[in-house]
Amino acid sequence: MTSSRDKGLSRIADILAKHPANRGSLIPVLQDIQQDFGYLSEEAVAELERRMGISANEIYGVATFYTQFRFSPPGEHTILSCQGTACHVRGGRQILTELEQRLGVTAGRTTADGKFDLERVACIGCCALAPVVAVDGKVHAQVTAKKIPSIISRYAGEGNFS
Amino acid sequence: MKLTIDGKSVIAKEGQTVLECALNNDISIPHLCTHSQLSAFGACRLCLVEIDGIRGYPTSCTTPAADAMVVRTDTQALQNLRRNILALMMLEHPSACLVCSRRELCEQFRPEAERTGRTTGCHTCSNKEICEVRALSEELGFAELPVPPAYHERPVERSEPFMDRDLNLCILCGRCVRICKHHQGRAVIDFVGRGSQTHIGQAFGNSLLDAGCQFCGACVDVCPTGSLADRYAKWYGRPEAVAESTCIFCDHACALALGTKNGKVTAAQAVDENVPVCVLGRFAVPEFLNGTDRLSTPHMRVGQRLRQIPWEQALEMVAGKLRQFAGDGFALVCDTTSTLEDRHIFKKFTNEVMKSTNYIEIEPDAHGVSRGSLPAGTKAALLTGNFVDLAALKELGLSIVQDCYPTPVSQRADVVLPAAVLAEVEGTILDRSGRKRPLHKACEPPGQAKPEWWIICRLAEAMGAEGFEYESAEAISKELRISNAQLWVDRVEAPPAATDFKLRRTHFRGHRIDEKVRGLRELPVEDPCALEPAQEKHEGAFGILEKHEIAPNVHEIIIQAPEVAKKALPGQFVIAMVDEKSERVPYTLCGWDAQAGTITLVVLEKGQSSRKLILLSAGDKLVHVVGPLGVPLDIELYGTVVLAAGCYGIGGIVPIVEAMKDAGNRVVVVTEARSHYLHYYKKKLQGLCDEFVETTIDGSVGVKGHAIDAIAEKLKAGEKMDCVIAVGCPFMMMVTAQETKPFGVKTLAALNPIMLDGTGMCGACRVTVGNQTKFACVDGPFFDAHLIDWDELRDRRAAYSAQEIHSLGRTEAVVTGHSGGSGCKCLH
């Protein structure tokens, strides 16, 4: 019987097998690991150190340079609050503030219960619908601060955020 | 290869860079990230040059020298560029002292760095004397910051063994990152994050220990700023001299360069810096040698107690007693960490003087443990370390211990003789391959401790023996024909413990090294019997209700002290003790609430005692808070009262502002700080006074300069001032007094000398005011600032400077409940 940890480690081995065994592969490998696991865990980075011979501290240094990598498990749902020009003009800032207050986290963080990731993005590409909030890829158009609780509760399950 | 640099024709060797070639030919090019032990990096951009045929300004550290190259290193354009580059660096490095208009006066008045917890300027930086950034700023004529500087408010990391890290001083030159990889072959630290958030760190915010640091100290040695510091050595400053000797904590016998100050070893480093030494070589030697419990005088048992006696008497007495034990009833036990010379004398003494065959020489095991036993029938023994069980002593008629530290055995011995060890003696030892390595005396042994050969030779002479007339270790080595002892400076490989501290030795002459060198207790070792860390718990009556770091290094503490709160008046102070043994330190009362029974102190972390206080947190208790002490300030109607305040004084003036205002005065408050981020209580004071003026030394907010600059400006403009009251450091108050004097304005200063009882008994707080001796505790704290002898005040405040540095050196790592070794995160 193999534990989930062993399974995880063997998945890392599979990922590494797909890339040339050199330092230059580090970023593509990190991308694949994040794709597979959702984030870069301390265990995954330690395993990379063992297999690639690059110190975990150095890997972490490289990974933290890029905003695409995250180091904690993603929330169940990802909320993107658009702060692009059109959304900004139509009150995107208030929407984000409302989201931050309702969720109790600042942008870029995950709620304590692991339900939501809150991210600010520069433009989603549907400026005619501004201001927009996208949850798990579904775009909510012409959002107002008042609509935020109902949007959140739709995903929160128990509806604790109303 | 022939090049022309600044019009001078020079020759470059193959593979040299333009920078190396220039430096070799005495042409200086400013540089920072370059380091002799490291390959070129090109990060700091200070070594830019102009080269004919190359576009722009290439970095000379990364440009290979080539034939016929024409290089210019010092054009106006380059000077401007470099100054701007340095200015950008200085925006994230506390730099107010570098642009201060009173820099020279300050240096003159207080040349020693003040020992604060957080460094917010050169004046409070342990690295001041050897700071490369400071030297460069002088070289480049940097005098102004283009925009207000940023302070990242990163926690000062003081929870790691041996090293303090204050990343608020870091300029990201990357030397530490590169030397770490170079020395350890594996990065323990790296750049983390990006942009303005970039900092030096470990994966996932782990501690250095968890990240695999081996504590070789190389990062500390290459840091050009005060960001990384050797906790023990930092406040001793630059060594006065450096002596080379051999480390005898293990038999690899690495050569150490020992920095000394006032006859003490304060720092140790590998002589050949390219190969690291282990944590013992780098960090343990000074602390081991300077331990406060070192044996320093001969002692003799009188009844139940060991009593101090002079050497002569001790030797006479021992000689007399030993005569009765001649023959195999006598044994001498030593180990091979004693020098060849010492051991020769030990053996000769045992065989020839004591006529005994029981000369016992122990070879320490891999952990450095030397355990031996006395032969059956031993009646008298001389032990040069902690080698035998306590039980063995019971059988003896005479026990003599000659050692560096007390042990249970020495405490039961009949005679204890203090021995000089390690870098305190001359001599020769054998390393693990049998090569001779020299010990050179780098420092004085503590008190009356003597080299071991000296002790035994004098003892033999006292017994009437001949052939022991040696006056130096050299005389013995000559007789033994020991020659050719060479320091091990051409190390190709580091000793195993330098790359895995678990392999280090744990014992030296039967002593646990980690008992003497506290930082080692946190480093796991291949030895199961780890010491339990001693947890000191202080229980007092004066609870801390709240504690915040309100500005870098400035802490607001609210303490339960109802009796003080009931009687406090503006201008008074309290004396606080954190624990039963701590210093009594006066702190100005910055506020009180008689109903709630609380007092507010604003404490600047500076030195050991305030350090102890600010490391407490809400819920902890102080042992003593005595007060209110001192004469309250005369609160009357003066007209216009100007309060000049700096550092803790900004908090200290609050009650005075309130009272002066209530008395009907027009109150002007002028606060000073090095930079904008060091100001606090702004809103509070603004709400209390009639006019509020902020000054900063770097000009980042308000008036540029000290408080007195804003005051002088007003006086020059003809503004009427009836009384100026200065509360801050002596320098600030002195400057204020000097510059209000020509205007004839009454000026008071709150003096802050060292105090003991605070009730006028001890005289420690003696100050001279107008040629009269006054006690700051009962006659002050406020005095006529124009009459104060400021030099005397400064000197008296520095009276225990050496003791304080020693005490700070022995400070343990901060044990906090915070995770990841990131120290106290209470800054908000």
Side-chain angles (χ1 to χ4, degrees):
Chain A
M1 209 179 108
T2 51
S3 67
S4 64
R5 185 173 175 274
D6 292 339
K7 270 187 215 157
L9 297 185
S10 80
R11 268 149 72 199
I12 291 176
D14 294 344
I15 289 168
L16 279 165
K18 283 186 239 157
H19 297 274
N22 59 39
R23 289 171 64 89
S25 300
L26 180 59
I27 291 172
V29 167
L30 290 174
Q31 284 169 326
D32 285 1
I33 290 176
Q34 175 146 315
Q35 183 80 44
D36 194 344
F37 293 81
Y39 73 109
L40 304 178
S41 66
E42 199 166 345
E43 293 73 33
V45 171
E47 181 63 11
L48 275 190
E49 162 160 4
R50 257 189 307 280
R51 292 181 177 266
M52 295 185 81
I54 305 174
S55 117
N57 305 301
E58 199 174 349
I59 297 173
Y60 187 76
V62 169
T64 52
F65 182 82
Y66 299 98
T67 49
Q68 60 175 297
F69 294 116
R70 51 178 303 145
F71 304 92
S72 54
E76 272 172 50
H77 309 285
T78 303
I79 304 180
L80 305 180
S81 170
C82 185
Q83 303 295 310
T85 312
C87 291
H88 173 77
V89 169
R90 304 212 49 180
R93 180 65 245 182
Q94 284 97 298
I95 305 292
L96 180 58
T97 308
E98 184 68 21
L99 279 166
E100 286 179 336
Q101 277 170 4
R102 291 279 169 189
L103 295 171
V105 288
T106 52
R109 306 262 169 169
T110 307
T111 54
D113 61 2
K115 275 252 154 71
F116 294 101
D117 277 342
L118 178 61
E119 305 280 351
R120 51 183 299 163
V121 290
C123 184
I124 301 180
C126 44
C127 304
L129 306 177
V132 298
V133 164
V135 186
D136 298 340
K138 182 183 173 352
V139 174
H140 296 259
Q142 287 162 348
V143 178
T144 60
K146 268 191 188 161
K147 289 188 192 165
I148 296 293
S150 73
I151 295 176
I152 294 175
S153 60
R154 225 175 290 169
Y155 298 90
E158 289 78 35
N160 285 339
F161 291 91
S162 50
Chain B
M1 283 185 294
K2 250 192 183 162
L3 291 80
T4 309
I5 304 181
D6 291 343
K8 187 175 164 187
S9 181
V10 297
I11 309 271
K13 281 183 225 120
E14 202 60 48
Q16 262 187 338
T17 63
V18 173
L19 178 65
E20 284 165 342
C21 174
L23 296 178
N24 265 358
N25 287 284
D26 294 326
I27 300 167
S28 93
I29 302 177
H31 56 276
L32 197 60
C33 68
T34 301
H35 191 271
S36 57
Q37 288 169 260
L38 296 165
S39 54
F41 195 47
C44 76
R45 316 309 287 176
L46 284 169
C47 69
L48 302 175
V49 290
E50 294 174 4
I51 301 176
D52 277 358
I54 299 184
R55 201 164 53 90
Y57 303 95
T59 46
S60 59
C61 69
T62 56
T63 310
D67 205 30
M69 226 177 210
V70 178
V71 183
R72 285 172 302 279
T73 71
D74 203 27
T75 64
Q76 190 63 48
L78 287 170
Q79 285 175 15
N80 288 344
L81 262 174
R82 288 190 193 126
R83 245 196 308 273
N84 285 335
I85 290 164
L86 186 72
L88 288 173
M89 251 182 239
M90 289 303 97
L91 290 178
E92 291 186 287
H93 178 87
S95 47
C97 289
L98 297 173
V99 298
C100 175
S101 59
R102 288 189 180 81
R103 188 174 169 180
E104 273 174 37
L105 190 62
C106 172
E107 285 286 320
Q108 225 179 337
F109 186 73
R110 43 183 187 191
E112 239 180 54
E114 301 208 326
R115 299 170 280 272
T116 57
R118 243 175 220 281
T119 295
T120 53
C122 306
H123 165 56
T124 59
C125 184
S126 63
N127 200 50
K128 181 179 159 187
E129 290 172 298
I130 53 164
C131 180
E132 293 178 43
V133 177
R134 194 171 144 90
L136 263 175
S137 80
E138 263 163 33
E139 190 183 332
L140 298 178
F142 161 75
E144 206 168 347
L145 287 169
V147 291
Y151 186 77
H152 287 289
E153 307 206 344
R154 297 191 169 113
V156 184
E157 298 169 27
R158 302 196 273 194
S159 54
E160 304 280 358
F162 303 113
M163 293 192 267
D164 282 347
R165 193 158 69 165
D166 184 350
L167 295 176
N168 299 297
L169 310 182
C170 178
I171 54 164
L172 298 170
C173 68
R175 278 192 196 170
C176 56
V177 172
R178 290 180 289 146
I179 198 81
C180 184
K181 243 180 250 185
H182 176 71
H183 270 15
Q184 297 296 340
R186 172 183 179 274
V188 174
I189 46 177
D190 207 333
F191 296 101
V192 172
R194 75 187 292 173
S196 65
Q197 297 309 309
T198 312
H199 61 278
I200 304 298
Q202 303 81 249
F204 298 94
N206 286 329
S207 67
L208 281 171
L209 196 56
D210 290 342
C213 179
Q214 297 302 324
F215 300 91
C216 71
C219 53
V220 174
D221 299 334
V222 298
C223 180
T225 71
S227 216
L228 306 177
D230 174 339
R231 184 175 302 129
Y232 184 85
K234 67 191 276 193
W235 296 114
Y236 283 101
R238 186 179 18 207
E240 280 160 359
V242 176
E244 293 179 356
S245 188
T246 297
C247 178
I248 55 170
F249 277 135
C250 83
D251 52 5
H252 280 87
C254 298
L256 293 182
L258 301 159
T260 58
K261 196 150 196 180
N262 301 329
K264 272 183 183 176
V265 169
T266 57
Q269 245 176 289
V271 171
D272 50 339
E273 298 167 321
N274 266 312
V275 180
V277 287
C278 73
V279 63
L280 296 182
R282 177 63 182 77
F283 289 109
V285 177
E287 206 172 333
F288 190 88
L289 289 179
N290 298 331
T292 46
D293 54 341
R294 279 286 301 272
L295 295 172
S296 58
T297 45
H299 279 75
M300 191 184 87
R301 180 160 304 283
V302 180
Q304 291 293 303
R305 295 184 56 192
L306 281 167
R307 289 190 190 275
Q308 198 176 316
I309 50 166
W311 265 113
E312 246 171 59
Q313 219 176 312
L315 292 168
E316 276 305 316
M317 204 272 304
V318 174
K321 286 197 173 175
L322 269 179
R323 280 195 197 97
Q324 310 159 27
F325 295 99
D328 277 352
F330 174 81
L332 186 150
V333 188
C334 67
D335 81 358
T336 56
T337 59
S338 286
T339 65
L340 293 176
E341 290 83 351
D342 290 339
R343 283 186 269 152
H344 170 70
I345 297 296
F346 293 164
K347 189 156 194 278
K348 190 171 166 183
F349 175 80
T350 311
N351 297 159
E352 295 177 15
V353 182
M354 294 308 297
K355 314 276 187 232
S356 165
T357 54
N358 289 324
Y359 166 69
I360 300 159
E361 193 177 281
I362 308 166
E363 186 72 45
D365 69 11
H367 300 303
V369 177
S370 304
R371 293 308 286 176
S373 54
L374 295 169
T378 303
K379 295 280 170 255
L382 194 154
L383 309 161
T384 71
N386 186 26
F387 305 133
V388 299
D389 290 328
L390 203 51
L393 251 62
K394 282 190 192 141
E395 314 296 322
L396 298 179
L398 176 66
S399 53
I400 306 160
V401 168
Q402 165 183 308
D403 204 349
C404 50
Y405 274 104
T407 60
V409 171
S410 77
Q411 275 153 8
R412 295 288 169 82
D414 298 309
V415 183
V416 181
L417 305 172
V421 289
L422 285 157
E424 292 160 357
V425 296
E426 296 277 340
T428 317
I429 58 151
L430 293 181
D431 73 6
R432 59 196 295 122
S433 336
R435 279 169 302 214
K436 295 181 204 96
R437 303 290 181 201
L439 293 189
H440 296 304
K441 184 176 170 180
C443 63
E444 292 302 322
Q448 301 168 26
K450 294 287 185 188
E452 295 182 277
W453 61 264
W454 184 95
I455 299 173
I456 302 300
C457 284
R458 297 300 87 87
L459 184 58
E461 284 178 336
M463 291 177 75
E466 283 181 16
F468 287 89
E469 296 80 17
Y470 307 101
E471 286 301 329
S472 69
E474 200 190 344
I476 305 167
S477 51
K478 247 186 207 157
E479 190 184 292
L480 291 175
R481 302 223 175 93
I482 298 174
S483 59
N484 240 341
Q486 298 282 335
L487 284 169
W488 188 26
V489 292
D490 49 355
R491 298 176 306 153
V492 181
E493 262 181 46
T499 46
D500 185 357
F501 62 65
K502 286 197 196 73
L503 303 175
R504 72 182 189 274
R505 282 195 176 177
T506 54
H507 287 69
F508 173 73
R509 274 196 208 180
H511 301 282
R512 290 193 65 114
I513 305 170
D514 61 2
E515 252 174 37
K516 318 298 171 198
V517 183
R518 299 164 187 217
L520 293 172
R521 293 179 202 170
E522 292 164 60
L523 305 187
V525 71
E526 284 193 335
D527 171 12
C529 53
L531 275 183
E532 278 295 311
Q535 285 285 344
E536 281 181 51
K537 252 290 182 213
H538 311 298
E539 274 305 314
F542 302 90
I544 294 181
L545 301 176
E546 277 181 54
K547 206 202 100 216
H548 306 287
E549 191 169 2
I550 47 176
N553 212 48
V554 181
H555 303 259
E556 181 190 67
I557 307 176
I558 300 177
I559 302 169
Q560 191 79 44
E563 295 302 316
V564 181
K566 232 186 266 176
K567 294 186 174 154
L569 287 168
Q572 289 189 301
F573 61 91
V574 293
I575 284 184
M577 283 176 84
V578 172
D579 57 65
E580 293 290 355
K581 288 178 184 167
S582 67
E583 185 192 358
R584 296 167 62 90
V585 183
Y587 297 104
T588 303
L589 278 161
C590 301
W592 52 86
D593 183 335
Q595 258 182 333
T598 62
I599 57 169
T600 303
L601 306 181
V602 171
V603 176
L604 181 75
E605 187 197 339
K606 181 175 165 291
Q608 184 66 284
S609 304
S610 52
R611 180 181 195 274
K612 277 189 188 172
L613 177 53
I614 71 99
L615 288 177
L616 299 181
S617 25
D620 289 339
K621 284 174 177 167
L622 279 79
V623 168
H624 292 300
V625 175
V626 184
L629 296 165
V631 182
L633 186 67
D634 281 335
I635 305 293
E636 50 188 90
L637 183 60
Y638 292 93
T640 298
V641 175
V642 178
L643 287 147
C647 321
Y648 75 90
I650 298 177
I653 60 166
V654 171
I656 302 173
V657 174
E658 286 172 325
M660 285 294 186
K661 186 75 191 136
D662 286 347
N665 292 286
R666 180 174 178 267
V667 179
V668 180
V669 169
V670 186
T671 58
E672 71 166 50
R674 287 193 197 98
S675 195
H676 63 96
Y677 54 84
L678 289 160
H679 275 292
Y680 60 95
Y681 276 4
K682 184 175 173 174
K683 277 195 184 137
K684 189 177 206 164
L685 287 165
Q686 270 174 333
L688 293 175
C689 66
D690 295 286
E691 189 185 344
F692 179 80
V693 184
E694 240 177 336
T695 71
T696 49
I697 283 155
D698 64 4
S700 54
V701 73
V703 178
K704 185 173 193 292
H706 287 80
I708 184 60
D709 292 312
I711 295 170
E713 212 172 285
K714 285 172 175 292
L715 285 169
K716 276 179 205 152
E719 270 189 47
K720 190 175 130 327
M721 290 181 196
D722 300 292
C723 183
V724 173
I725 301 168
V727 186
C729 65
F731 179 74
M732 173 264 181
M733 295 191 289
M734 176 189 74
V735 171
T736 307
Q738 279 172 353
E739 299 188 27
T740 56
K741 201 171 182 183
F743 294 96
V745 180
K746 174 188 168 82
T747 304
L748 299 175
L751 296 197
N752 41 16
I754 292 170
M755 282 186 196
L756 285 184
D757 63 284
T759 58
M761 289 191 289
C762 74
C765 66
R766 176 166 67 77
V767 290
T768 305
V769 183
N771 294 321
Q772 281 187 313
T773 295
K774 298 276 183 191
F775 290 163
C777 64
V778 288
D779 301 324
F782 288 93
F783 294 103
D784 183 338
H786 296 144
L787 302 177
I788 292 164
D789 182 341
W790 294 102
D791 288 343
E792 183 199 54
L793 175 70
R794 173 203 53 202
D795 294 345
R796 289 185 63 83
R797 273 168 58 93
Y800 299 101
S801 180
Q803 285 83 349
E804 178 150 80
I805 290 172
H806 188 58
S807 158
L808 282 167
R810 293 177 52 77
T811 299
E812 286 179 68
V814 175
V815 184
T816 63
H818 304 274
S819 59
S822 49
C824 179
K825 278 182 180 162
C826 71
L827 187 83
H828 58 255

